[in-house]
Amino acid sequence: MPSPTPKAPAATHSARTVRAGIALLAAVAFALSYDALRQMAVAGHVRGLLTYLFPLVIDGFIAIGIVALLILRTAPRRSRCYVWMLVGVATGTSIAANVVHAVGLNEGTRLRLNNATAGALSAIAPLALAGAVHLYLVMNRHLASGGAMAETSPATPPATSATPGDDRPIRQEQADDVATAPSTKADPKPEADATITKSPPAKANRKKGERKTTAPDTVLWSTARAIGAEHGTVPRTTLEAAIRAQGYTIQKDRAKEIANAATAELSSIANTGAAA
């Protein structure tokens, strides 16, 4: 696999410059807005050191809301629209306060607020509290639902089930053997002997009095192919006798199904060899 092309040093340097410029621009804008909002707090009769916290309620909410939007980018549209509304309200409040600050100082040497503006400023803190708490609940619910979905999703993809009776690769392999070496068809006994030796000696290993089990598909197919290689066909009764001789049990319907399928397989191999 080819290694990824490394980024050009010039592009990396430009990206760092842009990031530094964005951070500096945000810091300057925050400082200017902070000064205006603190003077608005003083004019709104906020006391003492609390005037330094008032700008954080508005501009800090804007920053937190933008980060929340990034976290909730996969949340439902209703949640994202709600957060956008909170960010928009906080941004509009900050803009309005900065405008009132500039206009008020432009009209006089001291900032004075009318009753409506002072009342609106006093309502910002409780509204920000309510919005922050609800924003936290929205984010927590989204993150919890995302974690629950990750736990319920399967860690590994489901494995493909292997059907014991699926003998299509075996049929293709036998067809290739017939096409490449047709002389082996004249003497099927060695192949039959080799096939029979592959089947497990279940009867020899079975203890006396032990309950017999149903023959697995691998034993059924190996026995049926051995009978077909020897006789050219697979009679049901012969297959049943051979399976029971190995210490297994088999139902007549299952024996008939395997016998017919093995006979069809032999016919397919014969037709393939004749066509070749």
Side-chain angles (χ1 to χ4, degrees), residues 80-123:
R80 288 184 281 119
C81 290
Y82 172 73
V83 180
W84 271 114
M85 182 197 70
L86 293 179
V87 173
V89 171
T91 304
T93 303
S94 180
I95 293 174
N98 277 268
V99 170
V100 171
H101 167 262
V103 173
L105 289 181
N106 190 54
E107 293 179 349
T109 57
R110 184 178 179 183
L111 182 61
R112 292 183 178 274
L113 304 178
N114 55 33
N115 294 336
T117 305
L121 285 178
S122 65

Side-chain angles (χ1 to χ4, degrees), residues 2-266:
S3 58
T5 304
K7 295 183 179 180
T12 303
H13 180 71
S14 299
R16 291 177 180 175
T17 303
V18 171
R19 292 192 187 101
I22 293 174
L24 179 61
L25 178 63
V28 172
F30 178 79
L32 295 175
S33 179
Y34 184 93
D35 180 67
L37 293 176
R38 196 190 75 83
Q39 293 186 47
M40 289 289 293
V42 173
H45 308 291
V46 178
R47 295 184 298 177
L49 297 177
L50 295 179
T51 58
Y52 293 94
L53 300 179
F54 181 78
L56 299 178
V57 176
I58 303 176
D59 289 349
F61 198 98
I62 297 173
I64 293 175
I66 293 175
V67 175
L69 285 173
L70 295 177
I71 297 175
L72 298 174
R73 60 185 180 275
T74 58
R77 179 178 298 180
R78 182 177 60 181
S79 299
R80 288 184 281 119
C81 290
Y82 172 73
V83 180
W84 271 114
M85 182 197 70
L86 293 179
V87 173
V89 171
T91 304
T93 303
S94 180
I95 293 174
N98 277 268
V99 170
V100 171
H101 167 262
V103 173
L105 289 181
N106 190 54
E107 293 179 349
T109 57
R110 184 178 179 183
L111 182 61
R112 292 183 178 274
L113 304 178
N114 55 33
N115 294 336
T117 305
L121 285 178
S122 65
I124 290 177
L127 290 176
L129 174 61
V133 172
H134 195 239
L135 178 60
Y136 172 79
L137 294 177
V138 171
M139 289 183 56
N140 191 41
R141 180 178 57 189
H142 172 67
L143 295 176
S145 62
M149 291 179 62
E151 291 179 359
T152 55
S153 60
T156 56
T160 305
S161 60
T163 306
D166 190 3
D167 57 322
R168 286 177 292 179
I170 301 176
R171 294 183 184 179
Q172 183 65 33
E173 182 179 354
Q174 292 183 354
D176 294 340
D177 293 340
V178 173
T180 55
S183 61
T184 58
K185 184 179 179 182
D187 190 11
K189 291 185 178 180
E191 181 181 358
D193 296 339
T195 308
I196 293 175
T197 56
K198 293 180 182 178
S199 60
K203 186 176 181 180
N205 297 332
R206 190 177 303 279
K207 297 180 180 180
K208 185 177 180 180
E210 184 178 355
R211 184 178 180 181
K212 297 181 180 180
T213 58
T214 304
D217 288 348
T218 53
V219 176
L220 291 176
W221 277 103
S222 61
T223 306
R225 291 193 179 102
I227 296 173
E230 183 177 358
H231 300 285
T233 183
V234 185
R236 176 184 60 82
T237 55
T238 305
L239 178 60
E240 290 181 1
I243 293 298
R244 292 192 176 95
Q246 298 181 46
Y248 293 105
T249 61
I250 183 173
Q251 296 181 355
K252 291 184 179 181
D253 294 339
R254 184 58 176 164
K256 183 177 180 181
E257 178 184 355
I258 297 296
N260 293 338
T263 303
E265 180 182 283
L266 290 172

